[in-house]
Amino acid sequence: MIGGLTWLVRRGRKARQTPELGAIGGMPEAAAVLAAATGIVAVALAGGSSLLTDSAVQASISELTSFQGRMRNAHASVGFDYGSAAIDDADIIAAGYAPSSMVSGSALKSRWRTDVAVTGSGTSFVVEIAGVPQEDCIALIQQLQQPVAVSVRVASSSAGISGASAITLPASRSGAIAACATDPSVVAITME
């Protein structure tokens, strides 16, 4: 019995001398929690630009969808005839065609706070967005689909839009990357 008691006493002393160990190989639990939190923050920061790109693109598509619906409703009585000239921003804003998120004073602005121009093209109209960052350009072209947009053209400047090839939607990733080679790009979206 004494031999068994001696073992128990030695075991108790050893337990008191051994520091408390956490769940990860001798690392105290607070340090393990801190390490995990640091890892989560690092992952969030690394993907932050992707999250911002997706947010701007989704918001832009939502604005374009709303804009298209308002334009169609207003022009239905005239057989969807949008004319063949630039449509003044002030007229679009006064008529209430543009969502408020696209209006900045008396001008139309994109999600990227760049200029937006609208031109009638018979039974369709073209929304031209200047200064779209390359990653957003790629994502936007890939995510635009009919009936919101019929086709898209991308160029390095407004002057180059007319000579750019029309991209049929939905665009492939490789097609979007090739089209958005310039950073930033001008994106012209044809809508009906």
Side-chain angles (χ1 to χ4, degrees):
M1 175 93 168
I2 294 198
L5 189 55
T6 306
W7 174 82
L8 187 57
V9 170
R10 279 189 302 209
R11 174 85 173 121
R13 272 191 229 133
K14 187 174 183 179
R16 277 182 266 147
Q17 294 171 351
T18 306
E20 183 67 30
L21 299 179
I24 304 175
M27 187 183 271
E29 288 180 24
V33 170
L34 184 59
T38 302
I40 290 169
V41 169
V43 168
L45 289 175
S49 64
S50 173
L51 293 174
L52 292 176
T53 294
D54 291 344
S55 175
V57 169
Q58 290 305 316
S60 183
I61 290 172
S62 178
E63 289 171 345
L64 290 167
T65 302
S66 175
F67 183 73
Q68 180 209 28
R70 293 173 186 194
M71 288 284 282
R72 286 184 60 75
N73 288 340
H75 290 86
S77 64
V78 292
F80 303 107
D81 183 8
Y82 300 100
S84 59
I87 304 171
D88 190 49
D89 288 3
D91 293 339
I92 291 170
I93 293 167
Y97 300 154
S100 61
S101 56
M102 288 180 71
V103 177
S104 179
S106 61
L108 295 177
K109 295 290 182 180
S110 72
R111 271 288 146 176
W112 301 277
R113 305 319 304 157
T114 58
D115 292 335
V116 173
V118 181
T119 305
S121 183
T123 58
S124 63
F125 59 95
V126 179
V127 176
E128 186 177 299
I129 305 169
V132 180
Q134 189 172 31
E135 285 301 315
D136 290 352
C137 178
I138 294 166
L140 180 64
I141 290 173
Q142 284 186 277
Q143 293 178 36
L144 278 173
Q145 294 186 21
Q146 293 181 353
V148 174
V150 177
S151 66
V152 175
R153 294 177 190 268
V154 180
S156 60
S157 68
S158 289
I161 287 293
S162 63
S165 298
I167 302 166
T168 304
L169 300 174
S172 66
R173 173 113 177 119
S174 60
I177 290 170
C180 299
T182 304
D183 188 20
S185 293
V186 175
V187 178
I189 303 161
T190 302
M191 303 176 142
E192 293 180 329

